[in-house]
């Protein structure tokens, strides 16, 4: 498949064959960096090698030109604060170009959007992200604990870490259920207990421990219930 070949070329060119020194030079010198053009040339050559068909030279050329435009746009507009965002935008645009080429060669169609089983799984997975987080937050709103006192142990936490941990754990539990590996759910519960509740026990905050325990059980319960309904 052309899609797989071009994705392999992209992964090699963007990650394996691009040293950190090239990335740093491109970010410092932007369009004046020689490594930007060398990087684009490598992508073009890799695409041609993986396609290995002289009649598809224009595909390799299109990959090279589109890669230059996308990378140049990212380098021109990204800042220190938006660097992470632009990384994902950059990768998404590269993949969209490859998808467009593959669609041109009729390697993909959108008939899967008419598949009700597929749509049900997507709907369930979407529900288990932010919507489920909001449901759990509202259910726990009346029990949100305050620190037990000035002497209670406080630990720093990453911004929104709890939200994303909850989303990931629910999606993993849902995936385990959909592939009939219920033992994976038990592993997730055990792992969460070991890493989370040991810290809470050391902090000696009973209310916070109970709050987190209820939230965890609600999170796992929603994922399990959703998986059972979809199954």
């Amino acid at each position: 498949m052309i899609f797989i070949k071009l994705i392999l070329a992209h992964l090699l060119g963007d990650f394996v064959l691009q040293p950190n020194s090239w990335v740093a030079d491109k970010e410092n010198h932007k369009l004046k960096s020689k490594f930007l053009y060398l990087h684009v040339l490598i992508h073009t050559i890799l695409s041609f090698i993986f396609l290995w068909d002289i009649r598809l030279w224009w595909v390799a050329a299109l990959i090279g030109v589109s890669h230059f435009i996308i990378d140049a746009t990212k380098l021109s507009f990204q800042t220190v604060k938006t660097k992470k965002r632009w990384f994902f935008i950059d990768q998404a645009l590269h993949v969209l170009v490859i998808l467009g080429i593959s669609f041109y060669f009729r390697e993909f169609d959108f008939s899967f959007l008419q598949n009700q089983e597929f749509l049900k799984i997507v709907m369930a997975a979407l529900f288990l992200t932010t919507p489920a987080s909001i449901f759990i937050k509202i259910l726990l709103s009346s029990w949100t604990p305050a620190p037990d006192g000035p002497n209670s142990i406080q630990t720093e936490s990453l911004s929104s870490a709890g939200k994303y941990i909850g989303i990931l754990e629910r999606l993993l539990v849902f995936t385990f259920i959909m592939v009939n590996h219920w033992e994976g759910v038990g592993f997730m519960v055990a792992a969460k207990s070991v890493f989370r509740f040991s810290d809470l026990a050391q902090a000696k905050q009973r209310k916070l421990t109970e709050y987190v325990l209820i939230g965890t059980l609600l999170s796992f319960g929603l994922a399990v219930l959703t998986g059972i309904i979809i199954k």
Side-chain angles (χ1 to χ4, degrees), residues 120-139:
K120 284 196 297 184
I121 293 174
V122 172
M123 176 191 66
L126 182 61
F127 166 73
L128 291 173
T129 57
T130 303
S133 297
I134 295 173
F135 271 92
I136 293 170
K137 183 178 180 181
I138 292 174
L139 287 171

Side-chain angles (χ1 to χ4, degrees), residues 152-215:
S152 61
I153 299 174
Q154 299 294 325
T155 57
E156 293 185 358
S157 177
L158 298 175
S159 176
S160 301
K163 174 185 174 181
Y164 294 115
I165 289 172
I167 290 173
L168 289 173
E169 72 186 17
R170 287 191 295 275
L171 290 177
L172 285 171
V173 168
F174 178 70
T175 302
F176 285 136
I177 293 173
M178 296 307 296
V179 296
N180 290 318
H181 280 287
W182 284 84
E183 65 275 14
V185 179
F187 170 79
M188 288 289 299
V189 174
K192 181 73 177 287
S193 301
V194 169
F195 288 107
R196 190 71 173 103
F197 298 122
S198 60
D199 291 340
L200 289 170
Q202 292 176 7
K204 298 179 180 179
Q205 295 186 37
R206 182 172 179 176
K207 291 181 180 179
L208 181 59
T209 303
E210 292 173 344
Y211 175 81
V212 173
L213 179 58
I214 294 172

